[in-house]
């Protein structure tokens, strides 16, 4: 009988969001009159901006006319979008990229989940702790994680992000092949300074590692000395792949558009003494297993770079960041520690003494009908914290803050 | 230094469409006044139908309003679309499926390319010859094909489709674990009768194999006794996964929507004496590495099942099939053998005596400014044939036929 991929059988069930949903449902049943407000989910709530809506309507009309209809587009994305990305996201920050180093897709989760296919099956993977689970699970499926025991995957290299290191992971003690970094970070909302990120680039060059740099929350960076792209750092094009998304930048979580940068300078071992460019491998992967992002969605993404579109999406992000600021203040006023929230839509809040992260989750739910995400759900180093998100509406956030203040 | 996946380095360069583009470009340069007509590309040309265009506009407006905006959708697809699929594509043909056996995606190429991830790395793969290259290349990347020598992948089981077996592959002599079948077939345009397909289902049940059944061209089936779904056959839910797409059904090649059916009854070996349902593995794969198909695109797909939408897409398909019929007649009138074209948009035309498929390609290009696809490009058993597609406009197809008649 045909056998399944054993890697899938090693996956741990992800109880986190199932468990949260279960507890919230029970609370609602017991408290039918109470409005539950979620600060737990990392999803946008504000509608698509007018420039994007107009671009979609225009593109839909084109697709309904014989003279303008388009069939299959390039697997790598249309040149008009790749040029807008190269110009606005890179050239404007002093980074020169060729458009064929940019691959447009339907989402960063797809890109990040699929990218590990390009590496040898015995590659050693490093992840931060706490961590976005896709980095781990996609490698478990590929057989790179070893068995799971005592809360750890045996072959993974863990990089703890704690208050003691200011949530900046220390360089690994044993050399990994692939290193996943996410900044601005999900779940902690913290960022890496130019110096800290240069340290990772230098390490990767010295040790011959690849950095898989997830920058899905780049649009939230406000402070001037935080790099917006890893390619602002010296030598990064030789060692780093950068993942970006329109999901949080422009509210595209339901439209699905993202891109990944794979510089031509990034070359790895072919295992026989030669080198091979990762760009050509990703191109072949996408041409074989992907058929491009919808034309109408790529037109919507291009509209984000128009003068009108930029102003509109920046206003939306300012709104979310204002939510974050108000939430940070409210949590601080509860005499709890707060990290993140300045350059990111996520707030990493310390829990009160004597509680663990699930305990504080229960407390917020039962006492204030507020939903957060227990930090322990993102890995052992997340214990002692909860994640709050700033993606709610202005009204819901204001009400959440009133409830937090009433808890003091 | 980090090593790449050796499977990628074994891939053969796919020269076919590059070579065709090169030859066509050279012809155009030498013949600047001539209009080249392509019968080579498997892509639609008619615009989206009005019901789909209206649904897209409505959904775009929803996404621009705070009250109706949606963020992330279910990774498996919205229930409204999965229900429409279950009802119209299955229930209406006597097949009972639960909606959680249907997974909506951005394309059949993604689904087919990704699905092999669920199987053990040492699984033996069978493919027809000629073949759609994604079945082969996605397994080469995964290390299942063995080395390439003398025009064959050493570990693949080839199933020749020839005139001598009426393009119906014989059952394999050695048992494979995974068997890719595509009907209506790309590139030959041929179909399997109910009896022939039941033979494959029975074989798979007897031998414990999985059938990966690609039915992207189902909408073109006209003859009454050709099964539209593999699940019309007895026992198929225990052994078959079915891939379907809106690309050719409703001109969605640029909108990107497809689905795959993974019945709960389909269970494989866990390698330790137990069984595991493929449905749960695909669900986990999609939840980990995919974030769902765009809401607006799923609304467009649902509109294909409306009364208006069905009538409109059926008219488009009738138009393509009329092209196919006219092309078949024109090729027959050249005293060439013709297969396909009745239940499929593809015509598999024998080449004139004394020519090979590339030779006939050159002849059509130089003498009539027509582009076809040499059959040898789809595998060794494609030699002696060319593929013609019926996806051109009515005007271009009529002009192509005039030119074919002038060649006689």
């Amino acid at each position: 009988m045909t056998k399944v991929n054993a890697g899938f059988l090693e996956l741990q069930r992800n109880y986190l969001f199932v468990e949260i949903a279960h507890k919230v449902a029970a609370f609602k049943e017991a408290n039918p009159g109470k409005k539950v407000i979620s600060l737990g989910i990392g999803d946008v709530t504000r509608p698509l901006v007018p420039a994007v809506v107009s671009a979609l309507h225009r593109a839909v009309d084109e697709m309904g006319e014989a003279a303008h209809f388009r069939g299959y587009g390039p697997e790598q994305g249309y040149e008009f979008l790749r040029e807008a990305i190269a110009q606005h996201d890179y050239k404007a920050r002093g980074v020169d990229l060729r458009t064929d180093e940019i691959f447009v897709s339907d989402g960063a989760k797809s890109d990040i989940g699929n990218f590990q296919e390009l590496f040898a099956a015995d590659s050693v993977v490093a992840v931060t702790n706490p961590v976005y689970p896709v980095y781990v699970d996609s490698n478990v499926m590929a057989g790179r994680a070893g068995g799971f025991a005592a809360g750890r995957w045996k072959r993974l290299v863990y990089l703890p992000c704690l208050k003691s290191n200011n949530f900046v992971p220390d360089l690994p003690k044993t050399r990994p092949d692939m290193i996943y970094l996410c900044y601005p970070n999900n779940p902690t909302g913290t960022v890496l300074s130019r110096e800290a990120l240069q340290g990772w680039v230098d390490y990767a060059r010295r040790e011959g590692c690849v950095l898989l740099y997830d920058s899905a929350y780049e649009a939230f960076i406000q402070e001037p000395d935080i790099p917006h792209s890893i390619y602002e750092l010296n030598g990064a094009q030789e060692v780093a792949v950068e993942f970006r998304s329109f999901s949080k930048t422009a509210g595209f979580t339901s439209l699905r558009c993202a891109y990944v940068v794979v510089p031509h300078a990034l070359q790895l071992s072919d295992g026989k003494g030669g080198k091979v460019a990762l760009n050509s491998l990703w191109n072949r992967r996408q041409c074989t297993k992907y058929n491009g992002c919808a034309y109408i969605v790529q037109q919507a993404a291009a509209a984000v770079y128009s003068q009108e579109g930029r102003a509109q999406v920046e206003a939306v992000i300012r709104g979310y960041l204002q939510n974050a600021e108000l939430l940070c203040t409210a949590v601080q006023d509860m005499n709890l520690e707060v990290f993140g929230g300045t350059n990111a839509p996520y707030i990493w809040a310390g829990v009160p003494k004597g509680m663990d992260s699930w305990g504080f989750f229960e407390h917020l739910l039962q006492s204030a009908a507020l939903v957060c995400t227990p930090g322990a759900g993102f890995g052992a180093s997340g214990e002692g914290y909860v994640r709050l998100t700033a993606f709610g509406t202005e009204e819901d956030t204001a009400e959440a803050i009133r409830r937090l203040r009433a808890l003091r």
Side-chain angles (χ1 to χ4, degrees), chain A:
Chain A
M1 182 183 248
T2 302
K3 285 201 296 288
V4 301
N5 173 349
F8 275 73
L9 305 179
E10 291 187 349
L11 286 165
Q12 302 301 298
R13 285 196 68 166
N14 194 336
Y15 290 109
L16 179 63
F17 289 97
V18 177
E19 183 94 5
I20 290 172
H22 189 76
K23 287 177 187 288
V24 172
F27 176 81
K28 283 181 176 171
E29 202 175 308
N31 302 271
K34 284 250 174 76
K35 184 189 170 186
V36 173
I37 296 179
S38 177
L39 301 169
I41 295 172
D43 193 6
V44 296
T45 55
R46 301 197 184 195
L48 294 178
V49 301
V52 166
V53 170
S54 299
L56 282 167
H57 280 306
R58 276 196 306 274
V60 168
D61 281 335
E62 280 183 61
M63 294 292 291
E65 296 159 10
H68 299 109
F69 175 78
R70 290 164 186 248
Y72 290 119
E75 286 92 345
Q76 305 85 352
Y78 279 101
E79 201 65 14
F80 67 79
L81 179 55
R82 300 165 94 189
E83 271 171 12
I85 291 166
Q87 185 62 38
H88 295 282
D89 288 345
Y90 293 100
K91 187 81 181 167
R93 297 196 181 278
V95 176
D96 281 317
L97 289 179
R98 284 169 46 178
T99 56
D100 66 357
E101 298 178 302
I102 297 166
F103 295 82
V104 175
S105 81
D106 66 302
K109 194 167 151 194
S110 304
D111 287 338
I112 292 168
N114 294 332
F115 209 85
Q116 49 73 32
E117 292 175 21
L118 306 193
F119 300 95
D122 61 354
S123 301
V124 175
V125 175
V127 293
T128 60
N129 183 7
V131 68
Y132 174 56
V134 170
Y135 312 148
V136 174
D137 287 353
S138 59
N139 281 291
V140 173
M141 290 172 177
R144 290 194 192 91
F148 190 77
R152 302 172 66 91
W153 291 99
K154 287 184 221 155
R155 290 192 74 241
L156 292 192
V157 173
Y158 287 94
L159 309 169
C161 294
L162 307 161
K163 187 185 163 190
S164 58
N165 61 15
N166 205 20
F167 301 96
V168 177
D170 297 329
L171 296 175
K173 286 176 186 64
T174 57
R175 177 195 166 278
D177 295 294
M178 304 151 61
I179 301 167
Y180 288 88
L181 294 175
C182 172
Y183 289 97
N185 186 252
N186 177 13
T188 67
T190 57
V191 288
L192 287 190
S193 68
R194 200 166 292 276
E195 293 66 35
L197 190 52
Q198 185 69 59
W200 279 97
V201 171
D202 293 346
Y203 173 82
R205 293 177 78 187
R206 201 162 60 234
E207 298 288 340
C209 320
V210 173
L211 299 176
L212 298 163
Y213 192 71
D214 179 354
S215 196
Y217 300 96
E218 174 274 336
F220 292 83
I221 295 173
Q222 303 296 304
E223 293 178 333
D225 61 337
I226 306 301
H228 285 248
S229 163
I230 196 167
Y231 305 120
E232 294 176 37
L233 289 305
N234 291 330
Q237 294 199 19
E238 294 166 30
V239 291
V241 174
E242 182 162 285
F243 300 91
R244 292 268 196 111
S245 171
F246 294 91
S247 285
K248 308 301 162 69
T249 304
F252 273 36
T253 53
S254 165
L255 264 191
R256 316 301 315 136
C257 194
Y259 65 86
V260 52
V261 178
V262 193
H264 290 299
L266 177 42
Q267 304 212 326
L268 300 187
S269 164
D270 67 2
K272 298 172 216 162
K275 285 187 174 188
V276 57
L278 217 51
N279 182 286
S280 66
L281 265 57
W282 184 245
N283 188 55
R284 186 68 190 255
R285 193 270 169 211
Q286 292 297 84
C287 289
T288 302
K289 301 192 196 178
Y290 185 59
N291 236 329
C293 173
Y295 169 70
I296 61 174
V297 172
Q298 292 190 64
Q299 283 290 5
V304 172
Y305 296 102
S306 67
Q307 207 177 349
E308 192 193 6
R310 286 164 68 94
Q312 292 167 354
V313 300
E314 281 165 15
V316 171
I317 286 173
R318 274 198 305 278
Y320 289 138
L321 283 170
Q322 195 165 17
N323 286 349
E325 193 180 336
L326 294 170
L327 281 167
C328 283
T329 305
V331 176
Q332 275 163 342
D333 289 350
M334 295 170 78
N335 289 317
L336 300 176
E337 287 187 310
V338 181
F339 304 93
T342 307
N343 299 293
Y346 295 124
I347 293 151
W348 195 238
V351 303
K353 281 213 172 72
M355 280 190 193
D356 64 9
S357 65
W358 274 107
F360 191 48
F361 166 90
E362 275 292 346
H363 177 63
L364 288 179
L365 181 61
Q366 299 299 335
S367 315
L370 293 176
V371 181
C372 65
T373 311
F378 296 101
S381 298
E383 185 50 273
Y385 297 90
V386 296
R387 188 188 77 173
L388 305 176
T389 76
F391 284 126
T393 63
E394 201 177 328
E395 301 70 37
D396 279 354
T397 307
E399 171 62 17
I401 286 165
R402 273 191 293 277
R403 295 186 192 174
L404 288 175
R405 292 196 181 284
L407 275 187
R408 285 188 297 172

